[in-house]
Amino acid sequence: MNVYGVTGWKNAGKTGLMERLVTEITGRGLTVSTIKHAHHSFDVDHPGKDSYRHRQAGASEVILASRKRVAQMTELRGDEEPALADLLARLSPVDLVLVEGYKRDRHPKVEAFRQETGNPLIAQDDETIRAVAADVALEIEDGRPVFDLNDTKAIADFILAELGL
């Protein structure tokens, strides 16, 4: 399975870029799945709902299914967070998996960068970042490409060319 990441600091535009890339790439007839890393506690379930009550009662995993979608929730209950490779293994085959976050993992990535955040460019010290998508003109010392953060087509072209898709 082809894996490509979008990484960057908080408020750098990662989620917007991911959303636009999914739309652009699926619009070209390719299948795409996504994985997003969250640094905080999150819940896709709501108190009082049946599946929430199952988890609260102690279920390790809960699958919620309907005609339109299936969601599987796993409670770690103190166990370690699964590695990206383990999460990728859970996915059905697709043409491309776009991964948001996972800065430290070794898959190829595009860095989303917004100058206003005041954060340093991650690409300077990370060779897994193959290109930068920025809201300002930048130049990277080793010549890696820099795209306009909103030029989704060019970023998608770059990713797909890198993967031979």
Side-chain angles (χ1 to χ4, degrees):
M1 209 161 9
N2 293 295
V3 177
Y4 217 95
V6 173
T7 195
W9 299 108
K10 183 178 179 179
N11 296 320
K14 298 180 302 291
T15 301
L17 179 55
M18 284 280 291
E19 181 181 5
R20 293 189 312 274
L21 285 170
V22 170
T23 300
E24 176 70 25
I25 295 169
T26 58
R28 297 180 188 195
L30 297 170
T31 55
V32 177
S33 289
T34 65
I35 295 178
K36 177 185 172 32
H37 188 260
H39 291 283
H40 45 79
S41 179
F42 68 91
D43 211 331
V44 295
D45 215 356
H46 303 287
K49 295 294 183 184
D50 295 348
S51 52
Y52 182 91
R53 292 170 60 192
H54 295 183
R55 286 186 308 119
Q56 290 302 108
S60 296
E61 292 186 311
V62 175
I63 294 177
L64 182 60
S66 75
R67 277 185 282 150
K68 296 202 179 242
R69 71 187 52 92
V70 174
Q72 180 175 358
M73 293 166 280
T74 304
E75 287 296 317
L76 296 178
R77 303 204 190 282
D79 289 347
E80 284 191 35
E81 179 181 343
L84 177 58
D86 296 330
L87 297 173
L88 289 166
R90 293 181 185 187
L91 293 175
S92 299
V94 291
D95 296 314
L96 173 62
V97 178
L98 287 173
V99 177
E100 183 178 338
Y102 290 93
K103 280 187 205 82
R104 292 174 187 87
D105 283 81
R106 305 309 298 163
H107 58 282
K109 305 171 193 74
V110 169
E111 178 180 355
F113 179 82
R114 280 199 178 124
Q115 187 174 29
E116 70 185 33
T117 65
N119 292 310
L121 195 61
I122 300 167
Q124 299 290 28
D125 299 315
D126 186 345
E127 72 280 354
T128 67
I129 296 175
R130 302 286 215 291
V132 174
D135 66 349
V136 293
L138 296 173
E139 206 169 296
I140 301 177
E141 292 173 13
D142 62 7
R144 282 176 281 176
V146 177
F147 297 97
D148 181 296
L149 183 58
N150 294 310
D151 192 350
T152 308
K153 182 184 181 313
I155 299 165
D157 288 345
F158 175 80
I159 290 170
L160 296 176
E162 280 242 304
L163 297 172
L165 291 174

